[in-house]
Amino acid sequence: MIIDLLICAVSFFIGAKLLSGVTLESFVQALIVGVVVAILDVTIGNVLKIVTLGILSLGIFNWLLNAIIIQIADWFLPNFKVKNFWWALLLAGIVSLSSSLISSFI
């Protein structure tokens, strides 16, 4: 679980460095973002998955859901800024890809 959190934080940090529409100042903030996004995913994410079951294909819906959760985390965290939904969608893709790549090496 701690390794997954560190992988998530590294992925958010990489995404923030690659995207000009995402502001994240330090790795500690990336850890905090990872924790908040994980909590939101367990609570709000599961509710939304149950409510919209069968509407969209699972892969696309998870990507959109992650972008929505990133936008909600942006609202909660003062030092984490995402300009708009499109930047959140790109960040969700980068976090997903980089997490998968890092996990495959560990």
Side-chain angles (χ1 to χ4, degrees), residues 13 16-17 23-30 79-80:
F13 196 70
K17 294 301 176 188
T23 305
L24 187 61
E25 296 175 4
S26 69
F27 186 73
V28 173
Q29 288 176 342
N79 294 327
F80 174 58

Side-chain angles (χ1 to χ4, degrees), residues 1-12 27 30-31 102:
M1 183 169 156
I2 293 175
I3 292 175
D4 291 335
L5 177 61
L6 289 174
I7 290 171
C8 183
V10 168
S11 298
F12 272 106
F27 186 73
L31 281 169
I102 293 169

Side-chain angles (χ1 to χ4, degrees), residues 95-106:
V95 167
S96 177
L97 287 174
S98 59
S99 292
S100 295
L101 285 173
I102 293 169
S103 294
S104 69
F105 288 116
I106 293 179

Side-chain angles (χ1 to χ4, degrees), residues 9-77:
V10 168
S11 298
F12 272 106
F13 196 70
I14 290 170
K17 294 301 176 188
L18 291 176
L19 300 173
S20 63
V22 179
T23 305
L24 187 61
E25 296 175 4
S26 69
F27 186 73
V28 173
Q29 288 176 342
L31 281 169
I32 294 169
V33 169
V35 169
V36 170
V37 167
I39 291 169
L40 288 172
D41 189 37
V42 168
T43 56
I44 296 172
N46 285 336
V47 170
L48 288 175
K49 286 176 190 173
I50 291 170
V51 168
T52 61
L53 189 63
I55 292 177
L56 295 172
S57 72
L58 196 55
I60 293 173
F61 181 68
N62 279 337
W63 186 35
L64 292 173
L65 182 62
N66 288 339
I68 292 168
I69 289 173
I70 287 171
Q71 287 279 276
I72 295 170
D74 168 43
W75 186 72
F76 279 117
L77 300 171

